[in-house]
Amino acid sequence: MMGTYIIKRLLLIIPTLFLILLINFLVVQIAPGGPVEQAIHQAETFQGINATGGGETVSVSSDRSYQGARGLSPEMIEQIKAQYGFDKSAPERFWLMLKGYLTLDFGTSFFKDKPVTQLLYEKMPVTISLGLWSTLLIYLVSIPLGIRKAKQHGLFFDKSTSILLAVGYAVPTFVFGVLLIVFFAGGSYFQWFPLRGLVSENFESLSLLDKIKDYFWHMTLPLLTMVLGGFAGLTYLTKYSFMEELNKQYVLAARSKGLTENRVLYGHVFRNAMLIVIAGLPEALVGIFFVGNLFIEIIFNLDGIGLLGFEAITQRDYPVIFGTLFLFTLLGLILRLISDVIYQVIDPRINFESRGAK
């Protein structure tokens, strides 16, 4: 039964990707300031500078249909449109894009002059590094903290740490990043940590031990930011999952047999309580990789996929935008499928087919 469910979900990925790409393709077609308009503006500005002998720039503009561009001949405008593929109709451009995606050919960046697949491959290590380390640290902090809060519910430790959790839950992640930069990266107080990149310029000349130190020196503030911004929700989830299990009959029966509290907690409760926490790992990865990483890479100027996508949006670099979107959507759908599978592996009582899952 689970195999049928997996096949259905895998087949559902295809129309989901198609609809997301179609919607975003339609949106960018009507958005002003596309690559052709930017190129026309730059060409007109360059001509204005030449016309004034390098003096004051002539103010020019171009409308969204690329008509009436002052100083540029119709032939030059057509050349610019052909350069970016806008000499073809929108349906034809969308069809060519889909054909390329079937072979994982995402096209070439308008402004970086590199294949999108190459750009994604180059930026992937930074994004993966941030995502995996931050996820590991968040789980290492949240699970023990959540278990202890469940054991001491209503006591001083639980109430005092709830204040910390409330701050971590309410304050956006990027605010923690800005504060850490101000205090520890040369903002206004200390300059203990670097602000750019994952390694130093002389990284290749360092010994293995020094490379490891240099790497984690650069990773300290980004990882600390992501942990501060992401541990609260998982801690609450762990706490209330354990509290729910601690109130069940099998726990009372185990205690009545004279078992120690730790034996009851880790021998009986732990497996059941951790079901929702472990099964939620893929969902957590979706949030960390596709939301948390974006802000962290921008704030700390880390050259990952998040920063690449942000730059592509500001430059209207459509091939990079669509390639990044396609990759994020595909990984997100796969991770959510893995999450469902993990649920049933941990608890075979869960039957997606009987629940009418599609």
Side-chain angles (χ1 to χ4, degrees):
M1 298 295 288
M2 189 61 185
T4 303
Y5 173 76
I6 293 175
I7 293 175
K8 287 182 178 179
R9 286 288 297 271
L10 289 174
L11 293 176
L12 188 62
I13 288 177
I14 298 174
T16 302
L17 288 172
F18 175 81
L19 288 175
I20 290 176
L21 289 175
L22 176 60
I23 292 172
N24 284 273
F25 181 84
L26 294 176
V27 170
V28 299
Q29 299 310 305
I30 61 176
V36 174
E37 293 161 310
Q38 293 186 26
I40 291 176
H41 177 74
Q42 292 173 2
E44 291 175 337
T45 302
F46 180 75
Q47 284 193 354
I49 293 175
N50 288 341
T52 57
E56 183 178 354
T57 303
V58 177
S59 176
V60 293
S61 62
S62 58
D63 61 26
R64 284 167 51 187
S65 61
Y66 319 119
Q67 300 298 319
R70 294 181 295 184
L72 295 182
S73 65
E75 292 77 12
M76 184 174 295
I77 295 176
E78 290 301 320
Q79 288 178 4
I80 293 175
K81 293 169 66 176
Q83 178 183 352
Y84 294 104
F86 281 78
D87 56 330
K88 302 178 179 65
S89 64
E92 187 177 359
R93 294 199 306 274
F94 184 67
W95 170 246
L96 291 174
M97 183 183 73
L98 290 181
K99 288 176 61 178
Y101 275 44
L102 292 176
T103 59
L104 296 181
D105 178 9
F106 301 152
T108 302
S109 169
F110 289 158
F111 299 98
K112 297 182 182 295
D113 197 27
K114 286 184 178 181
V116 175
T117 51
Q118 180 181 345
L119 289 172
L120 293 175
Y121 178 78
E122 292 174 353
K123 313 301 183 184
M124 187 72 75
V126 174
T127 300
I128 291 179
S129 184
L130 277 174
L132 292 182
W133 280 117
S134 59
T135 303
L136 175 63
L137 291 174
I138 288 172
Y139 268 73
L140 287 177
V141 171
S142 300
I143 292 177
L145 180 59
I147 294 174
R148 187 172 179 186
K149 284 176 67 64
K151 291 172 61 178
Q152 301 187 23
H153 177 64
L155 300 180
F156 175 76
F157 178 82
D158 180 43
K159 293 180 179 179
S160 60
T161 54
S162 292
I163 299 174
L164 177 64
L165 291 177
V167 173
Y169 196 80
V171 178
T173 302
F174 71 88
V175 174
F176 289 120
V178 172
L179 291 175
L180 289 175
I181 290 173
V182 170
F183 281 96
F184 302 112
S188 300
Y189 297 91
F190 308 102
Q191 192 167 1
W192 292 349
F193 298 97
L195 187 57
R196 181 183 179 88
L198 286 185
V199 294
S200 301
E201 294 182 358
N202 63 335
F203 181 78
E204 295 299 329
S205 62
L206 300 176
S207 64
L208 178 59
L209 181 59
D210 288 335
K211 285 182 178 179
I212 296 175
K213 291 180 179 178
D214 182 77
Y215 170 75
F216 283 106
W217 181 48
H218 284 75
M219 289 283 285
T220 299
L221 293 187
L223 288 180
L224 182 57
T225 300
M226 297 190 74
V227 171
L228 289 173
F231 84 104
L234 183 59
T235 301
Y236 279 127
L237 178 64
T238 304
K239 174 189 173 180
Y240 291 112
S241 178
F242 272 80
M243 286 183 60
E244 181 181 358
E245 293 296 324
L246 287 171
N247 292 324
K248 292 185 176 179
Q249 288 296 325
Y250 75 90
V251 175
L252 298 177
R255 285 171 175 166
S256 66
K257 294 178 181 178
L259 297 180
T260 64
E261 193 65 23
N262 283 339
R263 182 70 182 275
V264 171
L265 183 65
Y266 295 104
H268 294 76
V269 175
F270 189 82
R271 182 179 182 274
N272 294 328
M274 286 299 294
L275 168 64
I276 190 172
V277 177
I278 296 176
L281 176 60
E283 288 287 340
L285 287 174
V286 172
I288 292 172
F289 271 90
F290 307 147
V291 180
N293 272 7
L294 171 62
F295 292 115
I296 298 303
E297 290 176 15
I298 294 173
I299 293 172
F300 291 95
N301 201 14
L302 300 175
D303 199 12
I305 294 180
L307 183 59
L308 174 68
F310 175 76
E311 292 175 344
I313 292 173
T314 58
Q315 297 173 341
R316 301 295 194 272
D317 197 341
Y318 294 155
V320 176
I321 293 175
F322 288 127
T324 305
L325 173 69
F326 180 86
L327 179 64
F328 280 2
T329 304
L330 179 61
L331 291 178
L333 292 171
I334 292 175
L335 285 173
R336 287 187 170 91
L337 174 58
I338 293 174
S339 179
D340 290 344
V341 174
I342 291 177
Y343 265 113
Q344 191 171 54
V345 170
I346 296 177
D347 189 352
R349 295 172 299 175
I350 297 176
N351 189 319
F352 291 102
E353 290 293 333
S354 65
R355 292 170 180 242
K358 302 297 182 183

